[in-house]
Amino acid sequence: DSGVTQTPKHLITATGQRVTLRCSPRSGDLSVYWYQQSLDQGLQFLIQYYNGEERAKGNILERFSAQQFPDLHSELNLSSLELGDSALYFCASSVYGDYGYTFGSGTRLTVV
Amino acid sequence: EDKVVQSPLSLVVHEGDTVTLNCSYEVTNFRSLLWYKQEKKAPTFLFMLTSSGIEKKSGRLSSILDKKELFSILNITATQTGDSAVYLCAVEETNAGKSTFGDGTTLTVKP
């Protein structure tokens, strides 16, 4: 157990629907990062939050949004889902310093 | 556009061999380079490199960064079957948190 908790582990939904992925960072980590990993695109950075504020944005679609709450957990909202959004979505957290990022076990999203 | 290129894409070796994985990058505002090992699920952190020429070591794994030539290598000595995984290289920008990943090197270690 890495200490980063992601729920749900698996999600199957239909095109056009909206889903919410949840992430709880490791105790003490203020930063949360979201990534998408698909077979054809590899691992892609989506967005980072630090202590409730958005800090960095990557290749995140406008249909996707995220937020970090006062208790530091984060949610990634995916709307108007398309087949191409099927992927593994990872959350990671970090503490400042030479420690890299700790990843959660991911949410596998399948859009049918 | 930021780019991270890893080579080789895949590698098959036998237990006891030494391997070198390569990562070259083109990033506008470099902050750090990270190596991860990904087995079945989530990547696990191996090294973070920020300064040129300083080797980081952890057991049989070591890594070094060359900021002038814009590349890093990850060495694994005396490989074991448990080293079989995808090794990912990522470069983080000074816009903290924004990172670009390479496609990974798939290492297979045969008994």
Side-chain angles (χ1 to χ4, degrees), chain B residues 13 19 25 67 96 101:
Chain B
V13 301
V19 297
Y25 62 91
K67 288 169 74 173
F101 282 78

Side-chain angles (χ1 to χ4, degrees), chain A residues 37 45 48 98-99 101 104, chain B residues 36 38 42 45 48 56 92 96:
Chain A
Q37 188 171 39
F45 167 73
Q48 179 210 358
D98 192 17
Y99 303 117
Y101 306 104
Chain B
Y36 292 91
Q38 186 173 24
F45 170 73
M48 175 185 273
K56 295 245 176 153
E92 186 183 44

Side-chain angles (χ1 to χ4, degrees), chain A residues 4 6 23 25 29-36 44-50 55-57 66 68 72 74 76 89-97 100-104, chain B residues 31 34 36 48 92-93 95-99 101:
Chain A
V4 178
Q6 288 189 248
C23 169
D29 287 356
L30 299 179
S31 282
V32 168
Y33 310 78
W34 286 98
Y35 301 86
Q36 178 193 59
Q44 303 268 323
F45 167 73
L46 295 178
I47 197 164
Q48 179 210 358
Y49 279 83
Y50 177 82
R55 284 286 295 272
K57 225 169 184 177
Q68 186 180 28
L72 301 177
S74 178
L76 179 67
Y89 290 85
F90 286 111
C91 163
S93 70
S94 78
V95 63
Y96 178 81
Y101 306 104
T102 301
F103 280 74
Chain B
R31 178 171 181 251
L34 301 103
Y36 292 91
M48 175 185 273
E92 186 183 44
E93 297 185 24
N95 181 4
K98 184 175 188 297
S99 50
F101 282 78

Side-chain angles (χ1 to χ4, degrees), chain B residues 88-109:
Chain B
L88 294 166
C89 170
V91 175
E92 186 183 44
E93 297 185 24
T94 51
N95 181 4
K98 184 175 188 297
S99 50
T100 303
F101 282 78
D103 290 335
T105 293
T106 301
L107 174 65
T108 303
V109 182

